[in-house]
Amino acid sequence: MIKSLSNMKNYNEKREKCCEYIEALEEERRKINVFQRELPLCLELVTQAIEAYKKEISGTTTDTLYGQPECSEQTTGECGPVLDLFLPIKQSSASTDEEEEEEEVDEDDDVEHESHDTGIDFVDKNMKSEWLKSVQLWNQPEAVPVSKWERSQQETQTLVEPIKENDNGAGSHQPPCYETSNEKNDYIISLATTSSGSARQKTEAERGGSGGSGGSSSRRGQRKQRRCWSHELHRRFLNALKQLGGPHVATPKQIRELMKVDGLTNDEVKSHLQKYRLHTRRPSQTVPNNRDSQTQHFVVVGGIWVPQASHSKANAVASRETTTGIYGPMASPLPSEWPSHSSFGREISEERSRCSNKGIVRCSSPAMSSSTRTKTKDAKMS
DNA sequence: AGGGCAATAT
DNA sequence: CATATTGCCC
């Protein structure tokens, strides 16, 4: 009797705690609700946590997992899995000093790194680890034949190891690289040291004839195969960027070297960098009250969230960034994550209405429109 | 080299 | 039609 009573009491206490927690969570959710666009995943996370707790207290029986089926089928959905990106945020770490660097060594091995029993980690436990796998493309069978890259790399623990980049030569234009992310095929696209060099011809053919670009029939030869910036590639890119001190101080060449990706050309990096800069410069639109009200600010450095002040090693980056250069040293609050192949992940819209349909979520952002370049110059047309 | 932008391919 | 990349010109 007494026993049961105490049990009950215990249970009630638990319940109460849960309730409190739920309330707290809900309040937070309300707060971040404002930033729905910026932090969709946070919202999702909190929501899920709330639901989970509710389940817990509502009765022990309802085992029916909340909408798991949503994007479990690995269509193209990356609404769930992306949670993984946000895990690294340690929220309670009181050590405000360290933060040497992020440990990006997760390259090929994933899973197991996080779960600071915050209480909500169980939510994502199951869904994570899937997407990283799917993102694996380009992975190298077992590194590369030679290890000439053997750098002592003692300074930073960036253990990026060289990967072989293969741009499929013009010969077989098959499935270039757009991994559909559903198939688990880790098949290595046959690396072709051969093609890497050969695909590079300049197509000087007709370019010399017409001095101007007027005709639009100038470059026709055959373009280089489009480079597909996979997650992996992009990862490296970001890594390099970070080490070099930000998108605005890093130069393509340096980046390329740090990336150690075979077959990656300077131009490609340059281009990517350019795009990156473009996309990261105009972030501060609808985040007005994040400035001083909150205690800590996070900035996204290309998919990696870092505390704002954490960039000690980033050498003096002229902070003039872009007028809106809000977050001081280096700001690039935009790309939360780049989808495998489409836009710069403007946002992964998610709601209760999961990715039930419409495989691709593409939100055209009104904000950044390429202002028509009306530059008065270049008489090349004349 | 590196930045930028027009031309194109997707 | 919008974006992502490439080609080329400063």
Side-chain angles (χ1 to χ4, degrees), chain A residues 261-315:
Chain A
V261 172
D262 178 83
L264 188 62
T265 73
N266 236 337
D267 277 346
E268 287 165 336
V269 175
K270 193 179 74 165
S271 171
H272 197 64
L273 179 63
Q274 185 178 35
K275 190 180 63 165
Y276 185 82
R277 284 169 175 164
L278 272 178
H279 279 262
T280 52
R281 57 191 242 193
R282 272 223 172 272
S284 79
Q285 25 184 27
T286 62
V287 265
N289 58 358
N290 198 5
R291 297 297 276 279
D292 38 4
S293 59
Q294 303 301 97
T295 49
Q296 47 182 298
H297 312 160
F298 286 103
V299 292
V300 163
V301 176
I304 298 122
W305 290 78
V306 297
Q308 177 181 6
S310 71
H311 285 281
S312 55
K313 84 175 299 179
N315 36 14

Side-chain angles (χ1 to χ4, degrees), chain A residues 67-323:
Chain A
Q68 204 65 296
E70 38 204 315
C71 33
S72 63
E73 96 278 20
Q74 56 281 63
T75 54
T76 60
E78 46 212 355
C79 36
V82 193
L83 292 172
D84 182 63
L85 274 185
F86 296 86
L87 288 178
I89 307 176
K90 54 194 71 168
Q91 45 193 26
S92 62
S93 67
S95 63
T96 58
D97 37 18
E98 283 295 329
E99 83 252 0
E100 288 271 10
E101 271 296 287
E102 276 68 3
E103 58 296 281
E104 299 280 281
V105 286
D106 47 9
E107 300 292 347
D108 305 293
D109 44 1
D110 32 339
V111 286
E112 109 257 343
H113 57 285
E114 30 53 48
S115 77
H116 314 283
D117 56 342
T118 57
I120 61 169
D121 48 333
F122 61 90
V123 178
D124 33 50
K125 245 351 193 255
N126 22 358
M127 354 163 102
K128 71 174 292 173
S129 82
E130 284 294 18
W131 92 291
L132 270 184
K133 263 192 288 188
S134 66
V135 170
Q136 275 301 299
L137 46 173
W138 309 107
N139 54 1
Q140 60 281 32
E142 70 258 34
V144 269
V146 287
S147 59
K148 68 163 82 170
W149 290 279
E150 285 296 341
R151 300 182 49 173
S152 51
Q153 57 192 178
Q154 61 245 11
E155 66 283 300
T156 63
Q157 61 275 46
T158 15
L159 304 179
V160 285
E161 49 183 66
I163 67 176
K164 201 80 163 178
E165 197 46 54
N166 7 273
D167 49 351
N168 359 18
S172 62
H173 30 70
Q174 268 291 79
C177 40
Y178 301 145
E179 71 298 329
T180 48
S181 83
N182 52 8
E183 352 207 3
K184 55 181 175 283
N185 51 4
D186 312 359
Y187 64 87
I188 313 90
I189 310 170
S190 67
L191 44 137
T193 53
T194 66
S195 64
S196 65
S198 62
R200 170 126 270 87
Q201 50 178 315
K202 289 278 282 199
T203 70
E204 294 252 358
E206 49 275 339
R207 166 258 195 108
S210 61
S213 62
S216 79
S217 62
S218 299
R219 310 131 178 168
R220 249 318 171 334
Q222 37 108 273
R223 279 170 95 87
K224 202 166 75 75
Q225 264 281 350
R226 285 188 124 212
R227 154 74 64 227
C228 173
W229 284 84
S230 60
H231 279 77
E232 176 57 29
L233 267 185
H234 187 59
R235 275 269 258 282
R236 290 180 180 250
F237 174 79
L238 293 177
N239 245 344
L241 222 54
K242 203 161 60 181
Q243 291 179 52
L244 293 174
H248 283 76
V249 290
T251 82
K253 193 174 163 192
Q254 293 173 307
I255 296 175
R256 183 174 55 89
E257 273 159 20
L258 272 174
M259 286 173 73
K260 289 203 278 292
V261 172
D262 178 83
L264 188 62
T265 73
N266 236 337
D267 277 346
E268 287 165 336
V269 175
K270 193 179 74 165
S271 171
H272 197 64
L273 179 63
Q274 185 178 35
K275 190 180 63 165
Y276 185 82
R277 284 169 175 164
L278 272 178
H279 279 262
T280 52
R281 57 191 242 193
R282 272 223 172 272
S284 79
Q285 25 184 27
T286 62
V287 265
N289 58 358
N290 198 5
R291 297 297 276 279
D292 38 4
S293 59
Q294 303 301 97
T295 49
Q296 47 182 298
H297 312 160
F298 286 103
V299 292
V300 163
V301 176
I304 298 122
W305 290 78
V306 297
Q308 177 181 6
S310 71
H311 285 281
S312 55
K313 84 175 299 179
N315 36 14
V317 179
S319 62
R320 86 283 202 209
E321 291 289 296
T322 308
T323 62

Side-chain angles (χ1 to χ4, degrees), chain A residues 336-347:
Chain A
S336 61
E337 173 275 346
W338 292 359
S340 63
H341 127 264
S342 62
S343 62
F344 258 56
R346 174 58 189 148
E347 62 187 19

